Amino acid sequence: MSGAATTLVDSTLRDGSHAKRHQIGVEQVVDVAGALDRAGVDVVEVSHGDGLGGASFNYGFSLTDEFELIEAAVGAVRRARIAVLLLPGIGVKEDLSRARELGASVVRIATHCTEADISPSHIALARELGFKTAGFLMMSHMNSPEGLLEQAKIMEEAGAEVVYVTDSAGALMPDTVKARVEALRGGLDRGTEVGFHGHENLSLAIANSIAAHEAGATWIDGCTCGLGAGAGNAPTEVLTAVFEKLGIDLNAETFPMLDVAEDVVRPIMDRPQLVDRASLLLGYSGVYSSFLLHAERAAERFHVSTKDILVEVGKRKAVGGQEDLIIDIAAELASTATPAA
Amino acid sequence: MSEKIPCAILGSGNIGTDLMYKLKRSRNLEPRVMVGIDPESDGLRRARSEGLVTTAEGVDWIVSHPEECRFVFEATSAGAHRANAPKIAEAGLQSIDLTPAKLGPGVVPPVNIEQHWEAADVNMITCGGQATIPMVAAVSAVTPVPYAEIVATIASLSAGPGTRESIDAFTRTTAKGLEEIGGAERGKAIIILNPADPPLIMRDTVFCAISPEADRDAIRASIEQMRETVASYVPGYRLRGEPQFEQDRVAIFIEVEGAADYLPAYAGNLDIMTAAAVAVGEELARMREREGVAA
């Protein structure tokens, strides 16, 4: 990751796992990781959408064991580093050791934006294993800039070299992104970098990434073609093009990225990434983006509306990982609903 | 039983204090002493006003008064229990351990207490384990469960520093309990902390993989019977709606509201630990009586 001052992370093979219902195969990983590497992307994240150990009834089982995918990705890149995601409470430390043995060298340790104190032992182990280690504060819209800084400091003290403002619900706006990134940039050590991970639910992922960069974020996440949870992420190829036009130096190059998007990723997408009624609602109400497909599935099964489920999930202030609440809510809505005509 | 079995509580914090109120209501157990550090702490003040002996002499007081402490409820920390356990055992007393020390076998009152009534030390596993293992056992009593998975969601405020520092211990210990006690071939546990204000009541979802041919009515009946059994010692233990069957699985939604003896009602995760610990003590007392062991 030499050269440009800004590190570009592509999470197509992790956040995109949500949009693919975790049905990703080795061949797709080799194609996507290899193509991103050749286009100059610095970091390629590969894991179950809910991080290592995410394969489950609750989040969906993976088509292919994620460690097999990680190994394939490591073998497909020459320059890019392979990252993994881990949510303490879902994945465990052994998963980190195994990912490191297979050649992953960057890790993001993710917690809800108020619960950073469940992450220090995982962050410390990650450093010990030699991972480049980032803390990932999910659902950042649910904490104030000052509150987020306190949480970021817990991760920094544990050893995180980068701390992310993670807009898991795509609910932040350029100003609210800026306030959070500035709070972290101003309050953390100079040597600690700040990252931003945006979602497209309010059509602001690119604008928010620009705002984050202006406020001092030097790790920026995207997913090629936006392939990710909810309405998707900041499309990596758009980030590359826009940052180039803004004069922000990246190792990734625009024309090769356009080809990766069009020729490699778009063909494997199950559906287009849209800001439709349900995904717009995620951003508007501040609901975890990966709830979308689960809510659609529950809506179909219980003959209730996706919108009603998501509104209720928002009311109950669900945090990331509470996918089990969706079936519960859908069943409850179905039992109280008047029969549809 | 004519005489109640004397019990000691090691630890005067939230758990120890809540435990005291539950033990006060027990038909066959009686809390006699609470061991703490700060005599002015809320827990020790309450213990004094309830007529318990309070002491700062630690486990030494217990081993020098064995007649006062047949059962020792450990509500300190895993580290403290590791130091205390050998002394308690040597004095011929039994530990009911609410810490994650895991020195003795894990116990879930309606499932496996019979097997361990003579153990010098029994461990209460985890809050998620106490809420979910009975349900996995209920399903596996009817049909093979090749895989069980649970998701425990608890209020952030009810997750203490011990849980937070070693969250892997929760997932690992609970998963092992789903297998060894619940009867699943393979277990997985997930824990989520939710900071919503007002705090939410503990929720647990249990997924069991089952055969599409499994007898759903029998599974429903077994689940309902187990709910009733657990609710007999954890009154706030409820099912949210009917179990949901899909082709290859059944999902059971549980909610645990605390009795608010000392802990807030939302902290069902803590309440189920103290309530189950008391149930373990009561069962052990009954078995001792049945086996003719003197109190």
Side-chain angles (χ1 to χ4, degrees):
Chain A
M1 280 182 294
S2 55
T6 301
T7 301
L8 183 65
V9 180
D10 183 281
S11 187
T12 308
L13 298 172
R14 198 283 301 167
D15 213 319
S17 174
H18 291 298
K20 293 278 296 171
R21 296 175 191 260
H22 316 295
Q23 306 300 298
I24 295 179
V26 166
E27 200 185 324
Q28 292 173 341
V29 165
V30 169
D31 289 349
V32 174
L36 289 169
D37 177 53
R38 289 189 291 277
V41 168
D42 302 292
V43 179
V44 175
E45 190 174 48
V46 184
S47 302
H48 184 281
D50 296 272
L52 299 177
S56 57
F57 275 133
N58 200 31
Y59 307 122
F61 289 103
S62 304
L63 173 69
T64 315
D65 183 293
E66 61 192 334
F67 291 104
E68 233 178 276
L69 299 181
I70 290 163
E71 197 172 12
V74 169
V77 297
R78 298 177 56 175
R79 185 181 145 283
R81 300 174 74 168
I82 299 302
V84 293
L85 175 77
L86 181 125
L87 279 67
I90 298 177
V92 292
K93 289 182 194 143
E94 285 78 356
D95 298 325
L96 282 183
S97 310
R98 204 162 152 215
R100 186 74 187 101
E101 278 163 23
L102 293 173
S105 58
V106 178
V107 66
R108 284 104 78 82
I109 305 289
T111 74
H112 185 69
C113 61
T114 56
E115 312 298 318
D117 60 356
I118 63 172
S119 69
S121 65
H122 300 81
I123 289 174
L125 174 66
R127 289 297 305 275
E128 213 173 283
L129 292 170
F131 275 111
K132 176 82 179 179
T133 306
F136 212 58
L137 289 165
M138 300 187 294
M139 301 286 274
S140 278
H141 72 286
M142 291 176 88
N143 205 342
S144 64
E146 304 73 41
L148 207 60
L149 172 61
E150 272 175 46
Q151 299 291 311
K153 281 182 170 168
I154 295 172
M155 291 177 154
E156 177 183 61
E157 195 181 321
E161 300 159 275
V162 186
V163 182
Y164 265 80
V165 174
T166 305
D167 185 17
S168 320
L172 289 173
M173 320 277 274
D175 282 354
T176 50
V177 168
K178 215 164 184 170
R180 283 163 178 75
V181 172
E182 274 170 2
L184 266 54
R185 187 58 284 146
L188 297 175
D189 286 346
R190 288 178 62 91
T192 306
E193 293 187 75
V194 178
F196 178 74
H197 174 99
H199 275 273
E200 188 65 352
N201 304 333
L202 294 177
S203 283
L204 290 171
I206 293 289
N208 285 346
S209 301
I210 296 171
H213 187 271
E214 282 174 3
T218 48
W219 280 56
I220 303 290
D221 283 16
C223 287
T224 309
C225 298
L227 183 63
N233 297 61
T236 310
E237 69 279 16
V238 183
L239 275 175
T240 310
V242 169
F243 275 33
E244 186 193 317
K245 283 179 77 77
L246 289 170
I248 299 164
D249 193 21
L250 290 177
N251 290 320
E253 294 176 60
T254 301
F255 279 96
M257 266 315 301
L258 297 183
D259 294 341
V260 177
E262 211 55 37
D263 301 336
V264 183
V265 175
R266 207 172 303 284
I268 66 165
M269 291 170 70
D270 297 338
R271 55 194 235 163
Q273 295 287 166
L274 292 177
V275 183
D276 58 8
R277 179 169 56 191
S279 56
L280 173 53
L281 202 58
L282 297 170
Y284 181 76
S285 331
V287 172
Y288 199 59
S289 294
S290 54
F291 285 3
L292 178 65
L293 266 59
H294 293 269
E296 284 180 359
R297 185 162 160 257
E300 201 174 305
R301 181 170 156 211
F302 292 94
H303 308 291
V304 295
S305 93
T306 306
K307 174 174 144 251
D308 290 347
I309 296 174
L310 292 174
V311 167
E312 186 59 28
V313 168
K315 273 192 208 152
R316 301 213 195 160
K317 297 181 183 162
V319 303
Q322 281 190 268
E323 271 77 348
D324 58 318
L325 188 63
I326 292 169
I327 315 175
D328 187 348
I329 287 174
E332 196 175 302
L333 287 171
S335 69
T336 55
T338 47
Chain B
M1 182 176 297
S2 51
E3 257 185 57
K4 290 187 178 183
I5 292 201
C7 299
I9 300 167
L10 259 172
S12 57
N14 288 335
I15 299 283
T17 309
D18 193 75
L19 197 55
M20 172 184 74
Y21 288 112
K22 288 183 168 63
L23 284 170
K24 292 289 286 183
R25 288 199 297 269
S26 172
R27 270 171 309 169
N28 58 1
L29 304 175
E30 184 185 346
R32 294 273 180 85
V33 56
M34 183 186 276
V35 179
I37 295 166
D38 175 10
E40 291 313 308
S41 68
D42 190 48
L44 289 181
R45 271 194 304 106
R46 285 166 180 262
R48 279 195 298 276
S49 74
E50 293 290 336
L52 274 71
V53 174
T54 61
T55 172
E57 284 172 44
V59 71
D60 294 337
W61 192 95
I62 292 176
V63 299
S64 60
H65 299 76
E67 70 289 348
E68 301 282 349
C69 330
R70 181 62 249 156
F71 296 147
V72 180
F73 290 85
E74 180 75 76
T76 53
S77 67
H81 185 59
R82 278 186 212 108
N84 294 335
K87 296 181 183 174
I88 296 167
E90 203 175 316
L93 307 174
Q94 273 176 297
S95 292
I96 297 170
D97 176 21
L98 289 90
T99 78
K102 289 188 288 183
L103 300 180
V107 286
V108 178
V111 186
N112 70 336
I113 189 74
E114 284 269 347
Q115 299 160 35
H116 301 298
W117 76 274
E118 285 178 303
D121 191 304
V122 290
N123 181 267
M124 296 308 298
I125 316 174
T126 61
C127 60
Q130 289 298 335
T132 61
I133 292 168
M135 285 301 163
V136 175
V139 178
S140 69
V142 176
T143 187
V145 176
Y147 171 71
E149 172 185 316
I150 71 106
V151 186
T153 307
I154 66 174
S156 292
L157 279 175
S158 69
T163 305
R164 289 169 179 275
E165 278 160 27
S166 55
I167 203 140
D168 279 17
F170 174 95
T171 51
R172 243 186 260 119
T173 308
T174 308
K176 197 164 146 238
L178 299 173
E179 297 167 1
E180 292 178 357
I181 308 169
E185 259 170 64
R186 198 162 62 81
K188 179 177 179 65
I190 293 167
I191 180 168
I192 309 283
L193 307 184
N194 182 311
D197 184 25
L200 52 78
I201 288 174
M202 183 199 203
R203 293 179 79 260
D204 297 275
T205 300
V206 179
F207 297 97
C208 291
I210 53 171
S211 154
E213 282 88 47
D215 181 346
R216 294 184 175 186
D217 287 334
I219 294 171
R220 274 192 204 96
S222 183
I223 289 170
E224 175 51 26
Q225 197 183 352
M226 185 58 85
R227 181 206 59 77
E228 207 178 315
T229 307
V230 177
S232 71
Y233 60 91
V234 188
Y237 187 85
R238 298 187 285 262
L239 296 184
R240 290 180 51 86
E242 289 284 309
Q244 296 291 334
F245 288 88
E246 276 182 85
Q247 181 68 2
D248 59 348
R249 72 189 76 165
V250 57
I252 306 159
F253 302 96
I254 302 161
E255 175 175 271
V256 188
E257 183 173 7
D261 287 310
Y262 181 66
L263 303 160
Y266 62 77
N269 51 315
L270 305 178
D271 187 79
I272 197 168
M273 285 296 269
T274 54
V278 171
V280 165
E282 291 179 341
E283 281 299 312
L284 291 179
R286 270 191 282 277
M287 287 172 207
R288 289 174 67 84
E289 192 187 22
R290 189 188 66 195
E291 303 291 330
V293 183

